[in-house]
């Protein structure tokens, strides 16, 4: 028996967040002349010195891959219901920076934007001093204060100095709608 008595029902508002379609379906990509996001099935060799890397979960992940400088990003617009008592963005990423440091010109961010790309919040950002060659980590960010609004969940990469691989998987935005109950027996 699984119940959410009094807590409400929840659901994932992000479509194809695990990239298990084997495509970037439901994601809008804005590539640079030198890079963008591609699908990785565990056999894709990035331009960087990194070897092939299996996805975090399932058969696919998205990989931000480039062969030169230039900002690129991908996003998905999501409407967060006004009745959401709790809304949480979560994802797994593996950031691999082959330059000497993170900086404003060598950076990865997870942004919450309006539909014209104005940044409303930064859910994650790399910073000077961060470990350069990271393993998979799970992250989350509370987006409850955006209930009742349409937001753009954006994964933004600026590889201004040298290669920076950004693997993404298991992207979700879960909500808990107040006043609803859902029991499963």
């Amino acid at each position: 028996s699984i119940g959410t008595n009094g807590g409400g029902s929840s659901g994932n508002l992000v479509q194809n967040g695990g990239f298990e379609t084997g495509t970037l379906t439901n994601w809008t990509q804005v590539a640079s002349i030198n890079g963008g996001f591609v699908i990785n099935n565990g056999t894709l060799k990035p331009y960087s010195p990194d070897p092939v890397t299996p996805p975090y979960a399932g058969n696919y992940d998205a990989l931000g891959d480039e062969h030169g400088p230039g900002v690129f990003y991908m996003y998905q617009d999501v409407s967060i219901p006004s009745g959401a008592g709790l809304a949480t963005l979560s994802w797994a990423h593996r950031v691999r920076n082959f330059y000497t440091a993170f900086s404003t010109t060598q950076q990865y961010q997870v942004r919450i934007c309006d539909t014209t790309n104005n940044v409303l919040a930064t859910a994650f950002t790399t910073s000077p001093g961060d470990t350069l060659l990271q393993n998979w980590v799970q992250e989350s960010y509370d987006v409850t204060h955006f209930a009742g609004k349409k937001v753009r969940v954006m994964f933004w990469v600026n590889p201004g100095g040298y290669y920076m691989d950004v693997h993404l998987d298991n992207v979700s935005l879960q909500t808990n709608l107040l006043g609803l109950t859902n029991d499963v027996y």
Side-chain angles (χ1 to χ4, degrees):
S1 156
I2 299 172
T4 56
N5 280 329
S9 64
S10 62
N12 185 6
L13 301 178
V14 171
Q15 297 180 13
N16 193 30
F19 308 99
E20 292 304 307
T21 62
T23 68
L24 293 174
T25 299
N26 301 110
W27 293 93
T28 300
Q29 180 171 193
V30 178
S32 75
I33 193 168
N34 293 317
F37 281 90
V38 295
I39 288 294
N40 171 40
N41 65 359
T43 65
L44 180 68
K45 168 66 176 95
Y47 289 109
S48 75
D50 248 0
V52 297
T53 301
Y56 178 75
N59 296 311
Y60 301 95
D61 69 10
L63 168 62
D65 192 24
E66 77 289 325
H67 54 88
V71 170
F72 62 91
Y73 55 93
M74 71 175 184
Y75 66 86
Q76 191 170 134
D77 291 342
V78 179
S79 294
I80 302 174
S82 58
L86 180 65
T88 305
L89 174 66
S90 62
W91 69 95
H93 65 217
R94 182 176 186 257
V95 181
R96 311 283 289 172
N97 181 4
F98 290 89
Y99 194 54
T100 57
F102 287 103
S103 68
T104 56
T105 59
Q106 184 78 7
Q107 191 172 49
Y108 155 65
Q109 294 185 335
V110 179
R111 297 173 168 183
I112 309 301
C113 300
D114 65 18
T115 56
T116 60
N117 290 344
N118 292 308
V119 178
L120 304 173
T122 303
F124 178 88
T125 188
T126 54
S127 300
D130 285 356
T131 300
L132 296 178
L133 301 176
Q134 301 173 17
N135 290 314
W136 283 105
V137 294
Q138 290 182 289
E139 298 284 349
S140 64
Y141 185 77
D142 183 353
V143 292
T144 307
H145 55 284
F146 295 113
K149 296 180 180 167
K150 180 184 270 191
V151 295
R152 180 164 287 173
V153 176
M154 180 184 292
F155 295 92
W156 181 92
V157 181
N158 181 6
Y162 196 56
Y163 297 113
M164 186 165 54
D165 300 345
V166 177
H167 293 263
L168 295 171
D169 210 348
N170 284 8
V171 180
S172 71
L173 200 158
Q174 297 286 333
T175 61
N176 185 329
L177 299 177
L178 293 176
L180 301 175
T181 62
N182 185 18
D183 291 316
V184 178
Y185 294 96

